[in-house]
């Protein structure tokens, strides 16, 4: 039987593909109408609080004057972005931001993974739930409370210095006014507050590991640490990569509230980050356009890092986030 040849000069098929696709989409939306109805509050939240405020990015390209309004303010184009790269202070602020962010990635990001692995190895369910509740608790404390606790413990007459003086016979350490201790203290605060909450995703990923893999590893003579290294970690590697990519997207965001509450005249040089810099420029000095330009620059850098990290993850065989 001869194969039927197609004429290259023949006209395209008559049915309208766009209309067909539109009908299928409409039918599917009608079929899932109740699910879409449930999703409406979440969609409205993102539209109102995430997308609509993007219209304010227009301030980054004008010399905004609140007395004459947005439409009457002078257009300056990329002048504010040129100021970002020409300002010596912004270089120091950017360096502080990157240092704190990468210190958190290097030391705070692995802690939830290690904690989840340890909790996963516990056999007593009651003890495991008690420990989980204890490590989750700091997440529900506001940064105001956390910083207040740290100040009480670390001030010159606080509990830590009293222990150093009365028990160890050492001199008091100025934790809050020593600039070299600012970044380690910030990282330790993040570890204490957020590590327990971060274990939730990893514990969920660990729950999906195939038990037969552990049985096969036991048959091969693998001990507990060998099973953890060769079975558990490879099974949750994709989850780790995805969360790391998302964390890189916030590398320019060091946490305004925590840093702002920890700042004082002694550590301002090493503690002033982009978020606090935008606050001082935009709110205290009323330079709204420049503060908006800095915020847009921060978002653009985060977007580039996410795209680059996702590309590298796919190159190494991981799924990525899209």
């Amino acid at each position: 039987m001869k194969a039927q040849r197609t004429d290259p000069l023949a006209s395209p098929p008559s049915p309208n593909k766009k209309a067909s696709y539109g009908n299928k989409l409409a039918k599917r939306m009608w079929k899932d109408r109740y699910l879409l109805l449930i999703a409406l509050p979440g969609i409205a939240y993102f539209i109102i609080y995430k997308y609509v405020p993007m219209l304010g990015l227009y301030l980054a390209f004008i010399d905004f004057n609140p007395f004459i309004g947005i439409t009457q303010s002078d257009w300056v184009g990329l002048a504010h972005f040129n100021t970002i790269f020409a300002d010596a202070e912004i270089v120091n602020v950017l360096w502080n931001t990157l240092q704190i962010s990468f210190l958190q990635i290097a030391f705070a990001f692995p802690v939830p993974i290690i904690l989840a692995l340890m909790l996963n190895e516990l056999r007593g369910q009651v003890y495991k739930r008690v420990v989980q509740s204890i490590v989750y608790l700091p997440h529900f404390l506001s940064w105001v409370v956390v910083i207040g606790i740290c100040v009480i413990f670390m001030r010159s007459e606080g509990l830590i210095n009293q222990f150093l003086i009365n028990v160890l016979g050492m001199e008091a350490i100025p934790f809050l006014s020593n600039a070299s201790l600012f970044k380690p203290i910030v990282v330790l605060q993040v570890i204490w507050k957020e590590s327990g909450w971060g274990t939730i995703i990893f514990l969920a990923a660990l729950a999906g590991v195939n038990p037969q893999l552990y049985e096969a590893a036991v048959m091969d003579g693998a001990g507990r640490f060998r099973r953890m290294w060769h079975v558990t970690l490879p099974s949750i590697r994709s989850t780790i990569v995805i969360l790391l990519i998302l964390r890189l997207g916030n590398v320019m965001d060091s946490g305004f509230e925590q840093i702002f509450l920890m700042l004082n005249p002694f550590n301002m040089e090493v503690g002033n980050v982009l978020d606090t810099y935008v606050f001082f420029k935009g709110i205290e000095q009323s330079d709204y356009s420049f503060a908006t330009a800095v915020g847009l620059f921060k978002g653009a850098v985060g977007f580039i890092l996410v795209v680059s990290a996702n590309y590298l993850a796919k190159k190494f065989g991981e799924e990525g986030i899209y």
Side-chain angles (χ1 to χ4, degrees):
M1 182 177 180
K2 294 183 179 181
Q4 186 176 3
R5 295 182 180 180
T6 57
D7 187 0
L9 300 179
S11 59
S14 56
N16 192 336
K17 291 184 177 181
K18 291 184 178 180
S20 176
Y21 176 77
N23 292 334
K24 288 182 180 180
L25 180 62
K27 289 180 180 179
R28 185 169 182 179
M29 291 181 65
W30 178 253
K31 180 181 178 182
D32 298 333
R33 58 189 181 278
Y34 297 114
L35 295 176
L36 293 173
L37 186 63
I38 294 173
L40 275 180
I43 297 172
Y45 166 79
F46 278 97
I47 292 175
I48 296 172
Y49 295 104
K50 300 296 182 180
Y51 289 98
V52 173
M54 287 184 183
L55 299 175
L57 295 177
Y58 179 73
L59 293 178
F61 304 97
I62 63 174
D63 188 11
F64 176 64
N65 187 338
F67 297 102
I68 62 177
I70 295 177
T71 57
Q72 301 298 323
S73 298
D74 296 331
W75 175 269
V76 295
L78 300 177
H80 296 302
F81 295 94
N82 294 331
T83 306
I84 292 175
F85 299 104
D87 190 359
E89 184 181 1
I90 198 70
V91 175
N92 181 57
V93 168
L94 183 60
W95 176 243
N96 292 337
T97 305
L98 292 175
Q99 270 192 316
I100 293 175
S101 293
F102 283 112
L103 283 173
Q104 290 180 0
I105 291 175
F107 295 100
F109 182 78
V111 173
I113 303 173
I114 298 172
L115 191 58
L117 292 174
M118 294 172 65
L119 289 172
N120 189 59
E121 294 298 321
L122 293 177
R123 295 294 175 260
Q125 292 301 316
V126 176
Y127 179 71
K128 181 178 180 179
R129 290 170 184 169
V130 171
V131 173
Q132 282 180 294
S133 300
I134 293 173
V135 297
Y136 291 168
L137 183 61
H139 170 77
F140 299 99
L141 301 178
S142 70
W143 277 115
V144 176
V145 176
V146 173
I147 301 303
I149 294 172
C150 289
V151 170
I152 292 173
F153 276 83
M154 294 182 178
R155 59 187 179 183
S156 57
E157 66 276 10
L159 183 63
I160 296 177
N161 275 320
Q162 291 299 318
F163 177 80
L164 294 176
I165 296 171
N166 299 328
V167 179
L168 301 181
M170 299 171 59
E171 295 183 357
I173 299 176
F175 291 103
L176 301 177
S177 59
N178 190 337
S180 61
L181 295 177
F182 178 82
K183 290 169 185 174
I185 290 175
V186 167
V187 174
L188 289 174
Q189 288 172 349
V190 172
I191 291 174
W192 180 75
K193 186 177 186 297
E194 301 296 345
S195 293
W197 186 255
T199 60
I200 293 177
I201 297 177
F202 295 110
L203 286 172
L206 289 172
V209 179
N210 191 348
Q212 294 181 353
L213 297 176
Y214 292 110
E215 296 173 2
V218 171
M219 294 295 293
D220 290 337
R224 176 170 293 184
F225 289 100
R226 284 288 183 181
R227 295 197 299 269
M228 189 184 300
W229 183 260
H230 293 288
V231 177
T232 307
L233 282 176
S235 298
I236 64 172
R237 184 174 58 188
S238 60
T239 303
I240 296 173
V241 171
I242 290 173
L243 291 178
L244 181 59
I245 293 173
L246 295 176
R247 179 62 185 86
L248 286 174
N250 295 322
V251 75
M252 304 296 285
D253 185 3
S254 301
F256 167 76
E257 189 176 1
Q258 178 194 12
I259 302 296
F260 180 75
L261 293 171
M262 286 291 295
L263 284 178
N264 58 56
F266 300 101
N267 56 32
M268 181 67 71
E269 185 68 19
V270 299
N272 193 16
V273 296
L274 276 175
D275 290 331
T276 54
Y277 180 78
V278 168
F279 173 78
F280 294 138
K281 281 285 186 179
I283 303 300
E284 293 191 350
Q285 300 180 21
S286 301
D287 195 350
Y288 304 107
S289 294
F290 181 72
T292 305
V294 175
L296 181 57
F297 167 73
K298 184 179 72 170
V301 172
F303 174 76
I304 293 171
L305 286 174
V306 167
V307 173
S308 302
N310 189 74
Y311 173 79
L312 291 175
K314 288 191 172 183
K315 277 291 184 182
F316 286 100
E318 299 298 331
E319 294 182 3
I321 57 176
Y322 62 88

